Amino acid sequence: MVQNSVEAAARAMARARHVVVFTGAGVSRESGIATFRDAEEGIWRKYDPMEMATLEGYLRDPAFVWAWYEHRFGIVAGAEPNPGHRAIAELEQLFDSVTVVTQNIDGLHQRAGSTDVIELHGSMHRFACLHREHGGFRLADFAGQEDRPPRCPVCGDLIRPDVVWFGEALPREELDRGQRLSAACDAMLVVGTSGIVFPAAALPLQAIHSGATLIDVNPEPSALSSQATIYLKGRGGDIVPQLVEELRTRREPG
Ligand SMILES: [Zn+2]
C-alpha cells in the first residue's frame, strides 16, 4: 500500500544514512528550462529537437546547432535554482552522505549548493572536441575565437557541448558510480523524472532491488511510482521543501 503523505515519507527516510537523489527534467522545468521533448519557443519551434541532439544533426549543420545551444546557454544563465533544487541541497545537513544523480545538464543542482553531483548526461557548461580527445573546456576558453562553433585549442577540430546526445553512451565512470551508490544507499529520493529512459532508469530499480526505501515525487504517477515505497504526487519545488522540513523535526534534537 502506497502512503501518499510527506509525514510517511519522512518516517521511512528518517533512519537512512546514505541517500541518493535521482533527478530529471521535471526539476529543471520548474526553473523555466524546457526539455528536448517540450515545445520550444519562437523560431526554434519549427525544428526537430532530435536534429539538435544527435551527432548526425550536428555534423549536418554545426553552425545552426551551435546557435541553438547558445540560445539554451542564455536561458540557463538567466535561470535560478528553484525551491526543489535548494531543498535537495539542504538534505546534506541531515544525512551522512547525499549524492545527487541527475539527468539534467544545466548545473542548477551545483548552483543550489549540492556538493556531490553525478551528471549522467554530461554538462552544457563543459565542452570537448568532436571525438572527445580533448575536453574540460569552458565557454570562456573560446572567448577570443571568431569561429562558430569554436575550434579545439589543441587539435583544431569542432567543439561540441560535453553532453550525451541521442544514440551515445552514458559516461562510464559516472554511470558506474551512480550504480554503485544506488545499490548501497538506504534511501533514494526520485524527483521529476518518469524513469523510463534506460540505462539511467535502471538506477531506481537497482535501489529497490537492494532494499532501499524509494520515495518518488512526481506531478503524475510514472512507471516507477507503483514500485516506490511511497509516491508523493506533486512538483519537486512544492514537495521536497516540505519533506526536508518534516525530516528536520525528526532528526534534530528538540
Ligand atoms: Zn581536440
Side-chain angles (χ1 to χ4, degrees):
M1 177 71 189
V2 174
Q3 305 165 75
N4 190 2
S5 86
V6 169
E7 291 76 12
R11 202 157 48 232
M13 280 182 82
R15 272 190 223 97
R17 294 177 57 207
H18 303 289
V19 173
V20 170
V21 186
F22 183 64
T23 72
V27 180
S28 292
R29 196 178 294 122
E30 291 179 51
S31 287
I33 298 169
T35 69
F36 289 116
R37 289 175 179 80
D38 293 333
E40 276 285 340
E41 300 284 310
I43 61 164
W44 304 102
R45 186 182 285 275
K46 56 179 179 280
Y47 299 104
D48 178 4
M50 295 291 282
E51 279 289 295
M52 317 291 187
T54 60
L55 184 60
E56 293 72 24
Y58 187 50
L59 292 176
R60 210 168 292 138
D61 196 343
F64 177 75
V65 175
W66 183 263
W68 186 69
Y69 270 97
E70 286 195 321
H71 162 76
R72 288 178 67 86
F73 300 152
I75 291 172
V76 169
E80 291 294 332
N82 63 61
H85 290 109
R86 287 196 288 272
I88 287 167
E90 285 173 26
L91 289 171
E92 292 185 20
Q93 302 160 10
L94 295 169
F95 298 98
D96 290 358
S97 78
V98 176
T99 302
V100 177
V101 182
T102 188
Q103 300 166 86
N104 301 332
I105 59 173
D106 50 46
L108 288 179
H109 282 299
Q110 292 92 328
R111 277 174 57 193
S114 285
T115 59
D116 186 16
V117 181
I118 299 176
E119 295 175 310
L120 287 181
H121 290 175
S123 169
M124 63 188 289
H125 301 290
R126 207 173 51 227
F127 302 86
C129 57
L130 204 54
H131 303 288
R132 288 203 166 91
E133 302 205 335
H134 313 105
F137 303 116
R138 304 270 148 182
L139 207 52
D141 294 331
F142 313 117
Q145 289 197 30
E146 304 260 310
D147 293 322
R148 287 291 175 275
R151 296 278 168 174
C152 175
V154 184
C155 69
D157 215 340
L158 282 177
I159 282 295
R160 57 167 289 169
D162 199 359
V163 300
V164 176
W165 280 333
F166 293 108
E168 293 185 323
L170 270 58
R172 192 70 250 174
E173 225 171 272
E174 280 80 356
L175 185 59
D176 283 350
R177 182 158 180 257
Q179 282 170 337
R180 219 162 45 238
L181 291 171
S182 298
C185 69
D186 308 305
M188 179 181 279
L189 178 64
V190 178
V191 191
T193 177
S194 60
I196 51 169
V197 185
F198 282 87
L203 300 187
L205 300 178
Q206 176 88 68
I208 292 170
H209 187 72
S210 305
T213 297
L214 191 118
I215 314 288
D216 181 37
V217 180
N218 214 326
E220 296 303 326
S222 71
L224 190 61
S225 307
S226 60
Q227 299 182 61
T229 314
I230 290 171
Y231 164 59
L232 299 174
K233 184 177 174 64
R235 304 193 316 165
D238 297 326
I239 301 286
V240 185
Q242 293 176 35
L243 180 60
V244 167
E245 198 55 40
E246 191 66 31
L247 281 165
R248 275 191 202 288
T249 65
R250 282 166 194 280
R251 293 186 63 100
E252 281 174 354

